[in-house]
Amino acid sequence: MAERNEKYYRACLEHYSVSRRGLLRGLFSGANKAVQVPDEISVKRSVPRPPGAVDEGVFLQLCQSCNDCETACVQQVIEMVEGRPQLNLDYNHCTQCGECQKGCSTGALSSINNDIGLRPSFSKGCNNRLSGECLICADACPQLAISVSSRQLPVINEELCSGCGQCRSACFIGAVQLEWPTARH
């Protein structure tokens, strides 16, 4: 059998002929390159994901748009937007019950970090600011992240707040809005 040299392989490549070994080598080397993600490249989260969502770049790779988290959500606050789960806390809040995490078979939702990323802001029409002694948002907060002083707007402890939206649901005058901080995530 003739010895195969560089000319032979070059001719094979020019004619788009690839051996099984070359094909597998190419596939596996491509897979290895796809797995290696430089630390400098990260995808910034721009929308609130269900509680326990892993880092956005990993989330986008793991999430298969299966809709299982939306189906499992007891509060019905998860909706599919462009094929990915996203929280909509306009009409309800997230109790962080963990059902969406149990329903996720891909690992895109884990129980490691339940911070949704949303943060409440309070309008000047806040009942406590206007008349004092309103503690409804602070009492509703399961994380005890809201402190209230008489005739002042409530203050959020960023480290304790998980962005669940229970303060917003509890406020009967609508003085609490949930915002997505652009600098976060």
Side-chain angles (χ1 to χ4, degrees):
M1 181 170 219
E3 186 177 315
R4 297 182 179 173
N5 58 18
E6 188 178 313
K7 283 184 179 181
Y8 172 81
Y9 290 112
R10 187 172 289 143
C12 286
L13 289 175
E14 288 175 0
H15 287 86
Y16 304 107
S17 171
V18 178
S19 67
R20 282 183 278 174
R21 180 182 293 171
L23 177 64
L24 292 173
R25 185 179 297 142
L27 288 175
F28 289 125
S29 68
N32 288 337
K33 289 178 184 174
V35 171
Q36 298 170 356
V37 178
D39 292 336
E40 307 90 38
I41 299 174
S42 65
V43 179
K44 301 238 185 260
R45 183 166 289 156
S46 61
V47 295
R49 298 283 183 210
V54 295
D55 289 335
E56 189 70 5
V58 177
F59 179 85
L60 294 174
Q61 289 179 350
L62 291 177
C63 180
Q64 297 176 354
S65 304
C66 63
N67 211 29
D68 289 344
C69 57
E70 180 183 27
T71 305
C73 182
V74 177
Q75 302 302 110
Q76 298 180 345
V77 294
I78 299 175
E79 61 185 8
M80 299 300 281
V81 177
E82 297 178 6
R84 302 283 188 222
Q86 183 173 316
L87 281 184
N88 181 350
L89 300 179
D90 288 342
Y91 305 105
N92 206 353
H93 58 270
C94 178
T95 59
Q96 298 181 337
C97 62
E99 292 300 315
C100 59
Q101 296 162 356
K102 291 176 190 172
C104 180
S105 60
T106 65
L109 302 178
S110 70
S111 59
I112 295 172
N113 179 13
N114 283 338
D115 187 359
I116 295 167
L118 294 170
R119 292 296 181 260
S121 65
F122 303 91
S123 70
K124 293 181 180 178
C126 174
N127 204 24
N128 186 64
R129 183 177 176 272
L130 298 175
S131 62
E133 304 308 318
C134 181
L135 301 173
I136 291 175
C137 60
D139 290 341
C141 181
Q143 309 299 329
L144 304 174
I146 301 174
S147 58
V148 180
S149 299
S150 184
R151 296 202 177 271
Q152 300 293 318
L153 286 177
V155 176
I156 299 295
N157 181 334
E158 292 280 333
E159 293 177 15
L160 294 177
C161 182
S162 65
C164 67
Q166 291 188 39
C167 55
R168 181 178 187 212
S169 294
C171 183
F172 61 90
I173 61 170
V176 181
Q177 294 78 36
L178 293 174
E179 297 177 349
W180 182 257
T182 55
R184 185 181 311 269
H185 300 303

